[in-house]
Amino acid sequence: MRPYIMACINERPSTRPSCAGRGSEGLANALETRLKQAGVAIEVRRIRCFGSCELGPNMRLAPGGSFFRHVDEAALDEIVEAARKALAETPADESSDDDNASEAETVPNPDFPPPF
Ligand code: FES
């Protein structure tokens, strides 16, 4: 599976801590910019809560990768490098953006040849 980054952008209207309350949406946008500038083609997926809100802003390299807690602008370079390493370690046959490409290519078209 192609790696991606999960970024919590959960916001609570209460006084309880939340990643968005600590600037996570801006950090997710900044991370996308830095990834692009670094030539690291990895998706940043916004999610709603890892359940460790007191430690936010939180991000995670997925699937199954490192958590990044208390993320700030200075931490984004570390995340970019982790993403670069994860992509480099991903087998070429798993690094496609289109996970269904091989299946789609093998499904016969029932309308071809035309019935006349
Ligand atoms: S609000 Fe981000 S982990 Fe809960």
Side-chain angles (χ1 to χ4, degrees):
M1 178 177 215
R2 185 178 178 82
Y4 57 95
I5 295 169
M6 296 188 292
C8 175
I9 57 160
N10 191 37
E11 181 169 17
R12 291 199 176 85
S14 69
T15 56
R16 290 182 56 207
S18 66
C19 291
R22 295 174 175 164
S24 65
E25 290 190 65
L27 288 165
N29 293 337
L31 178 60
E32 287 176 325
T33 299
R34 289 205 196 180
L35 288 164
K36 189 173 183 179
Q37 290 170 341
V40 180
I42 189 167
E43 181 183 6
V44 178
R45 298 183 187 177
R46 277 99 170 133
I47 64 134
R48 301 280 177 190
C49 201
F50 289 106
S52 52
C53 319
E54 307 77 26
L55 304 174
N58 294 304
M59 295 186 183
R60 185 177 192 191
L61 187 58
S66 302
F67 274 97
F68 299 92
R69 313 287 195 198
H70 302 292
V71 173
D72 58 13
E73 288 277 341
L76 296 181
D77 289 338
E78 177 186 357
I79 298 171
V80 169
E81 286 312 307
R84 183 193 310 276
K85 184 176 178 196
L87 279 177
E89 293 172 350
T90 302
D93 60 342
E94 295 181 22
S95 64
S96 169
D97 280 333
D98 185 359
D99 289 342
N100 298 321
S102 60
E103 181 179 327
E105 290 166 2
T106 60
V107 175
N109 181 348
D111 297 325
F112 188 84
F116 49 77

